[in-house]
């Protein structure tokens, strides 16, 4: 197992199957908190809404601060010009909200569209319980 050199998800192959998928829309990127959510939220191959994924979460209680995230690589990928929108799909927990806020601030200077998914989950809920 290793990190994909493109999206940093855990994979056995580099690049990972999500990054190799030619049907995915690389202009829209979905940032998830947990790598498992990247695989769970993957639409069917025939979907035009397929996006690339990126996993990140601030968790100071477990020693994961901004330095441990791959934010500079994310910002660099955005600055290359191929990404037009970032969708922040972190959990509505303290860590998820902090991560979304941090990433939105880090991406603000790029001028890219940064959106947040809507939630039909209670505060403190987990996305993984809502996805089949």
């Amino acid at each position: 197992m290793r990190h994909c050199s493109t999206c940093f998800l855990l994979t056995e192959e580099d690049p990972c199957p999500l990054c190799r998928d030619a049907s995915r829309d690389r202009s829209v990127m979905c940032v998830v908190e947990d790598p498992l959510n990247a695989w769970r939220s993957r639409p069917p191959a025939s979907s035009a809404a397929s996006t690339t994924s990126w996993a990140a979460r601030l968790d100071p209680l477990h020693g994961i601060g901004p330095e441990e995230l791959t934010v500079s690589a994310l910002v660099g990928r955005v600055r290359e010009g191929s990404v037009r929108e970032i969708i922040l799909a972190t959990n509505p927990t303290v860590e998820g909200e902090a991560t979304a806020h941090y990433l939105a601030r880090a991406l603000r200077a790029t001028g890219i569209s940064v959106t947040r998914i809507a939630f039909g989950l209670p505060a403190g809920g987990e996305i993984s319980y809502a996805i089949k």
Side-chain angles (χ1 to χ4, degrees), residues 58-81:
L58 293 172
D59 190 354
L61 293 176
H62 292 101
I64 301 172
E67 305 80 27
E68 284 73 41
L69 301 182
T70 55
V71 176
S72 60
L74 175 62
V75 171
R77 190 163 164 195
V78 167
R79 289 183 193 252
E80 290 173 0

Side-chain angles (χ1 to χ4, degrees), residues 7-8 11 17 32 37 43 46-47 63 67 69 72 75 79 94 96 100 105 107 109 118 122-124 127:
C7 69
F8 297 98
T11 183
V32 295
N37 290 340
S46 62
S47 172
E67 305 80 27
L69 301 182
S72 60
V75 171
R79 289 183 193 252
V94 172
R105 284 186 58 191
L107 292 163
I127 291 175

Side-chain angles (χ1 to χ4, degrees), residues 8-28:
F8 297 98
L9 293 174
L10 288 175
T11 183
E12 292 179 354
E13 307 164 25
D14 189 20
C16 72
L18 293 177
C19 291
R20 284 195 319 268
D21 186 349
S23 68
R24 298 180 77 76
D25 180 357
R26 284 161 174 60
S27 68
V28 178

